[in-house]
């Protein structure tokens, strides 16, 4: 099992759009994926569970990955939870 601890950086926390991107990143993974925080725990393939945790900016979460290429998956999920999402993206002008 591989674990990563991340801090939610997005100003609006992990709401619907970030949750959708996180679930998309996990859809083909055959191993076990879980996230825990002071607000509880859930399988990372459950959008309702993920949104239901109420993950707000500054909250610490632990990502648990068990299965094939677990280190790469844990690193990928870490990056998503630490990301400052910009919806819609700002133009590069």
């Amino acid at each position: 099992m591989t674990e990563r601890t991340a801090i939610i950086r997005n100003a609006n926390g992990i709401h619907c759009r970030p949750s959708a991107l996180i679930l998309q990143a996990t859809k083909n993974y055959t191993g076990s994926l879980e996230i825990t925080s002071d607000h509880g725990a859930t399988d990372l393939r459950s959008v309702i569970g993920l949104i239901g945790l109420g993950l707000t900016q500054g909250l610490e979460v632990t990502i648990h990955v068990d299965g094939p290429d677990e280190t790469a998956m844990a690193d990928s999920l870490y990056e998503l939870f630490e990301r400052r999402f910009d919806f819609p993206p700002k133009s590069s002008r």
Side-chain angles (χ1 to χ4, degrees):
M1 177 182 288
T2 300
E3 292 184 357
R4 296 284 181 274
T5 300
I7 305 294
I8 305 300
R9 303 289 179 193
N10 192 47
N12 295 312
I14 302 300
H15 53 82
C16 291
R17 288 181 179 175
S19 293
L21 293 175
I22 291 165
L23 266 65
Q24 183 178 4
T26 66
K27 72 178 179 180
N28 294 323
Y29 191 71
T30 58
S32 173
L33 300 166
E34 185 181 64
I35 184 167
T36 59
S37 75
D38 290 345
H39 295 187
T42 192
D43 185 305
L44 275 173
R45 291 185 187 91
S46 170
V47 70
I48 299 299
L50 187 55
I51 293 170
L53 286 178
L55 302 176
T56 56
Q57 184 180 37
L59 189 68
E60 182 176 283
V61 297
T62 303
I63 302 157
H64 309 272
V65 181
D66 190 15
D69 298 321
E70 61 190 41
T71 301
M73 177 54 74
D75 291 343
S76 175
L77 290 169
Y78 170 86
E79 293 293 325
L80 285 169
F81 280 101
E82 288 266 339
R83 183 174 170 187
R84 287 181 170 92
F85 293 94
D86 185 17
F87 297 109
K90 292 180 183 175
S91 65
S92 58
R93 293 185 225 174

